[in-house]
Amino acid sequence: MFNSFGNIFRLTSFGESHGKGVGGVIDGFPAGIVIDEEFVQQELNRRRPGQSILTTARKEADKVEFLSGIFEGKSTGCPIGFIVWNENQHSNDYNNLKNVYRPSHADYTYTVKYGIRDHRGGGRSSARETISRVVAGALAKLALRQLGINITAYTSQVGPIKLEGTYSDYDLDLIETNDVRCPDPEKAKEMADLIYKVKGEGDTIGGTLTCVIKGCPIGLGQPVFGKLHAALGNAMLSINAAKAFEYGEGFKGLKMKGSEQNDVFYNNNGRIETHTNHSGGIQGGLSNGQDIYFRVVFKPIATLLMEQETVNIDGIDTTLKARGRHDACVLPRAVPIVEAMAAMTILDYYLLDKTTQL
């Protein structure tokens, strides 16, 4: 149950970190969309491990294999099945985790809920599950591209190091020019140095990703229980290690008066627009045609390569020092995942909007 995401555009994912592979089935994808498999692979490459010294050293090609739903380079409207085979598991690295619970990890809750857990890499709770999301999100991006909708995410904070401006203050073309995926080269170096330092200590660190959606039409969203910002929040908070979501001014807006935060309308040569965009492109749960922007906070990853106190499966106090290959900071590899979840949400709600009026 609950391994599916979406309403009309719907992804059902399967697989575990140290199983044979990770994959999914996409239903409701429109027919006739040109499927650029090279683009899909590029999106996976942005997520895969071992891409820099800042990420886990696990080496996986993460080559996607499509099984159905594509004919002569286009979607057929039938279910799109795909799989990415696991090739570089080091399951023995996790043997010392078999009978203990990692602090702040899903080890304990999975064991209590199911009575069994796959300790090898965390099984289904591993972020390797997000491979399916990136593939589905890449396909959603290809469909949204035809509609003129573009989605971009970037690292805006690592620990105490943060960008002070908004997305409009930076050249977003610079995001992929550094390992941290930050549009400010100087801040990116500071962030990378901090991640590398923390990694050397066997510790981890968190931060924030910012995402902007441009070209979204007016009216996407399904009040009252399917508001667009709620759908985006649900999508983002389903990602491993995500702890908070805010859109528009978010908590910063608490310091403003209504007269300061309201987005005043004006007539721009026959088109109704607003002078500001404090609302983050969404009003009343519906997109208003302005840029949609939001932030997602990710916690420091729970698995540390340093000694921690914990308990074993018998409830006896003990200590644990994890082994293996782990990220010190999830943010650089989470960028394509955030974009993927946003793309799936927007495409799904675009298709839902087509049912509003005959």
Side-chain angles (χ1 to χ4, degrees):
M1 296 178 67
F2 299 102
N3 290 291
S4 297
F5 176 84
N7 298 284
I8 295 179
F9 175 89
R10 190 168 179 84
L11 165 69
T12 299
S13 71
F14 64 85
E16 295 84 34
S17 176
H18 285 229
K20 289 188 176 182
V22 178
V25 176
I26 300 167
D27 228 336
F29 190 75
I33 304 295
V34 175
I35 304 301
D36 184 346
E37 294 192 26
E38 183 177 343
F39 171 76
V40 176
Q41 188 60 53
Q42 287 173 353
E43 292 295 278
L44 273 176
N45 292 347
R46 297 170 69 211
R47 194 224 70 95
R48 74 181 176 191
Q51 58 186 276
S52 78
I53 61 173
L54 301 180
T55 65
T56 169
R58 179 171 177 170
K59 294 292 185 181
E60 293 278 6
D62 284 354
K63 176 68 176 176
V64 63
E65 180 180 345
F66 286 103
L67 307 175
S68 63
I70 301 173
F71 179 66
E72 294 183 342
K74 292 184 178 181
S75 57
T76 65
C78 298
I80 298 176
F82 63 90
I83 191 166
V84 172
W85 300 104
N86 292 331
E87 300 174 338
N88 191 234
Q89 311 98 310
H90 287 183
S91 298
N92 289 336
D93 288 344
Y94 295 86
N95 286 343
N96 68 323
L97 303 179
K98 185 175 181 179
N99 296 315
V100 297
Y101 300 127
R102 283 171 286 181
S104 290
H105 201 278
D107 294 339
Y108 176 67
T109 51
Y110 265 60
T111 302
V112 172
K113 180 175 178 65
Y114 297 105
I116 185 173
R117 71 177 170 96
D118 184 349
H119 67 278
R120 305 166 306 163
R124 187 67 173 160
S125 69
S126 167
R128 189 152 180 79
E129 168 270 328
T130 60
I131 284 174
S132 301
R133 305 174 187 227
V134 173
V135 173
L139 295 179
K141 281 184 174 183
L142 290 174
L144 293 175
R145 183 185 294 175
Q146 294 191 189
L147 302 171
I149 301 172
N150 179 265
I151 298 171
T152 305
Y154 61 89
T155 300
S156 52
Q157 181 170 355
V158 173
I161 303 170
K162 63 184 296 186
L163 302 185
E164 298 300 333
T166 68
Y167 68 90
S168 60
D169 296 320
Y170 299 98
D171 180 359
L172 301 188
D173 288 337
L174 297 177
I175 293 171
E176 293 295 325
T177 63
N178 56 78
D179 293 337
V180 184
R181 295 198 163 95
C182 172
D184 183 325
E186 292 185 8
K187 288 288 186 180
K189 186 180 184 308
E190 293 180 35
M191 293 174 178
D193 289 345
L194 177 58
I195 295 172
Y196 191 71
K197 176 178 181 294
V198 168
K199 183 179 181 180
E201 297 167 347
D203 214 335
T204 63
I205 196 163
T208 303
L209 296 187
T210 296
C211 185
V212 57
I213 304 171
K214 292 179 174 289
C216 192
I218 299 171
L220 301 194
Q222 298 292 325
V224 292
F225 296 117
K227 295 178 179 178
L228 186 57
H229 58 273
L232 286 168
N234 173 66
M236 298 308 142
L237 293 174
S238 74
I239 302 172
N240 309 61
K243 299 296 285 185
F245 169 86
E246 64 172 356
Y247 73 102
E249 293 292 351
F251 287 105
K252 181 181 176 182
L254 295 173
K255 301 177 182 179
M256 304 168 69
K257 297 177 182 177
S259 57
E260 297 171 317
Q261 188 165 157
N262 282 352
D263 296 317
V264 176
F265 292 109
Y266 75 103
N267 188 319
N268 184 14
N269 296 317
R271 176 184 172 89
I272 296 176
E273 294 188 355
T274 56
H275 288 292
T276 56
N277 187 18
H278 300 302
S279 300
I282 302 173
Q283 292 171 330
L286 305 176
S287 57
N288 67 3
Q290 302 298 311
D291 292 346
I292 296 172
Y293 62 95
F294 59 85
R295 291 160 296 282
V296 188
V297 175
F298 288 86
K299 71 172 185 176
I301 295 170
T303 304
L304 310 184
L305 300 181
M306 60 191 305
E307 194 169 274
Q308 294 186 92
E309 295 181 354
T310 187
V311 298
N312 63 21
I313 58 176
D314 297 314
I316 299 173
D317 292 332
T318 185
T319 59
L320 163 70
K321 183 177 181 180
R323 300 194 299 265
R325 303 161 298 176
H326 305 278
D327 286 294
C329 180
V330 72
L331 295 169
R333 295 176 62 207
V335 167
I337 302 169
V338 165
E339 292 179 356
M341 295 307 295
M344 284 194 283
T345 302
I346 295 299
L347 178 58
D348 188 37
Y349 272 67
Y350 179 87
L351 296 172
L352 277 171
D353 193 56
K354 293 303 179 183
T355 68
T356 301
Q357 299 183 47
L358 291 177

